[in-house]
């Protein structure tokens, strides 16, 4: 297997504080795996056999509730570590991760995790910071769903996605991976009908533009004001 070029990962948060030779040693234990669009990287409740860093593409992470309802938890962008069940004391994956476009990830066996963090303490610190940030995001979404009107919840989700994976284009900021209105509905605790109604209204007002599995924010400033406007 060809080795991974250190320059591809040297600036990623997971490797912050590691010396070049430490990064090289970690990369020697990784495999580069391609996941075609629609492929599951891992399934909810599957044994946590590996942990990953996404190099290219985007993943949708979702959970199935006991009654069979699907809930989108988050999207994984290039450069992010994911599937680190071992870091949070779990032996199984808590959700499913699926490629929404052709994607490539670095993969390490979970069995290597205790040894790697013992040899590279910065790895544990970096991963803990990532997990903590995601926990904070989850808490924020819970508060939003409990206290905010649906329009504000949708605005917050779109702004977060734009910050994570936005691409500047002439007409605004495009969320740079396929995303559906159903995805937005699952991330905001709203119905598909409600999300469609809100986004259609925003399209007519010039705030956003939509297409097949595409959302572009045409007026980020107005959307931010809408997201942060306190109910009167």
């Amino acid at each position: 297997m060809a080795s991974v070029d250190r320059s591809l990962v040297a600036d990623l948060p997971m490797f912050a504080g590691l010396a070049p030779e430490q990064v090289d040693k970690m990369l020697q234990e990784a495999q580069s795996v391609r996941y075609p669009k629609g492929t599951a990287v891992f399934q909810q409740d599957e044994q946590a056999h590996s942990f990953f860093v996404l190099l290219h593409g985007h993943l949708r992470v979702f959970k199935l509730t006991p009654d069979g309802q699907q809930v989108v938890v988050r999207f994984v962008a290039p450069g992010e570590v994911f599937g680190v069940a071992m870091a949070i004391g779990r032996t199984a994956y808590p959700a499913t991760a699926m490629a929404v476009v052709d994607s490539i990830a670095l993969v390490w066996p979970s069995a290597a995790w205790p040894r790697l963090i013992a040899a590279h303490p910065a790895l544990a610190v970096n991963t803990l910071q990532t997990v903590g940030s995601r926990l904070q995001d989850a808490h924020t979404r819970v508060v939003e769903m409990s206290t905010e009107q649906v329009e504000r919840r949708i605005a917050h989700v779109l702004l977060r996605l734009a910050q994570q994976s936005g691409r500047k284009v002439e007409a605004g900021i495009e969320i740079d991976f396929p995303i559906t209105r159903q995805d937005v509905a699952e991330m905001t605790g709203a119905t598909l009908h409600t999300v469609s109604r809100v986004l259609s209204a925003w399209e007519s007002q010039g705030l956003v533009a939509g297409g097949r599995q595409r959302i572009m924010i045409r007026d980020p400033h107005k959307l931010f004001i809408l997201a942060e406007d306190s109910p009167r």
Side-chain angles (χ1 to χ4, degrees), residues 100-132:
V100 296
V101 295
D102 290 346
S103 303
I104 299 172
L106 290 178
V107 185
W108 287 265
S110 291
W113 176 257
R115 175 173 50 79
L116 288 173
I117 61 172
H120 313 296
L123 175 63
V125 173
N126 298 339
T127 304
L128 182 61
Q129 289 176 340
T130 297
V131 172

Side-chain angles (χ1 to χ4, degrees), residues 10-55:
D11 295 329
L12 300 185
M14 177 177 172
F15 298 100
L18 271 66
E21 58 272 16
Q22 293 177 310
V23 176
D24 288 339
K25 286 182 179 179
M26 281 199 62
L27 293 178
Q28 288 172 5
E29 300 194 43
Q31 287 187 313
S32 178
V33 180
R34 180 178 178 271
Y35 297 96
K37 178 181 177 180
T39 301
V41 179
F42 51 76
Q43 300 275 3
Q44 180 176 333
D45 297 327
E46 177 185 0
Q47 188 74 17
H49 49 76
S50 307
F51 65 97
F52 312 78
V53 170
L54 188 64
L55 293 181

Side-chain angles (χ1 to χ4, degrees), residues 181 206 209:
R181 292 183 173 188

Side-chain angles (χ1 to χ4, degrees), residues 20-224:
E21 58 272 16
Q22 293 177 310
V23 176
D24 288 339
K25 286 182 179 179
M26 281 199 62
L27 293 178
Q28 288 172 5
E29 300 194 43
Q31 287 187 313
S32 178
V33 180
R34 180 178 178 271
Y35 297 96
K37 178 181 177 180
T39 301
V41 179
F42 51 76
Q43 300 275 3
Q44 180 176 333
D45 297 327
E46 177 185 0
Q47 188 74 17
H49 49 76
S50 307
F51 65 97
F52 312 78
V53 170
L54 188 64
L55 293 181
H56 173 77
H58 280 86
L59 309 178
R60 178 192 294 110
V61 180
F62 61 88
K63 287 182 69 73
L64 287 178
T65 64
D67 61 359
Q69 181 180 357
Q70 179 177 295
V71 178
V72 174
V73 177
R74 62 188 304 270
F75 285 87
V76 179
E80 293 190 40
V81 60
F82 66 100
V84 282
M86 290 282 291
I88 56 175
R90 297 189 61 129
T91 59
Y93 296 115
T96 296
M98 183 167 291
V100 296
V101 295
D102 290 346
S103 303
I104 299 172
L106 290 178
V107 185
W108 287 265
S110 291
W113 176 257
R115 175 173 50 79
L116 288 173
I117 61 172
H120 313 296
L123 175 63
V125 173
N126 298 339
T127 304
L128 182 61
Q129 289 176 340
T130 297
V131 172
S133 175
R134 291 176 188 167
L135 183 60
Q136 180 61 48
D137 288 344
H139 286 171
T140 298
R141 286 177 57 189
V142 168
V143 171
E144 289 173 358
M145 285 191 281
S146 301
T147 63
E148 293 184 354
Q149 297 293 327
V150 66
E151 289 85 357
R152 293 184 67 199
R153 302 202 305 266
I154 295 171
H156 274 129
V157 163
L158 295 185
L159 289 169
R160 276 196 291 268
L161 290 173
Q163 183 179 31
Q164 177 194 39
S165 300
R167 179 171 61 92
K168 289 186 178 180
V169 295
E170 186 175 351
I173 301 175
E174 183 176 43
I175 296 173
D176 198 25
F177 58 86
I179 182 170
T180 67
R181 292 183 173 188
Q182 181 63 41
D183 292 330
V184 176
E186 292 175 16
M187 296 183 77
T188 56
T191 65
L192 175 58
H193 173 76
T194 298
V195 170
S196 295
R197 174 180 56 79
V198 170
L199 291 182
S200 295
W202 288 354
E203 286 180 14
S204 67
Q205 296 167 24
L207 269 67
V208 301
R212 188 174 183 273
Q213 297 190 350
R214 289 288 178 184
I215 297 177
M216 180 175 62
I217 300 174
R218 297 183 62 184
D219 195 330
H221 179 65
K222 285 186 178 179
L223 195 63
F224 177 80

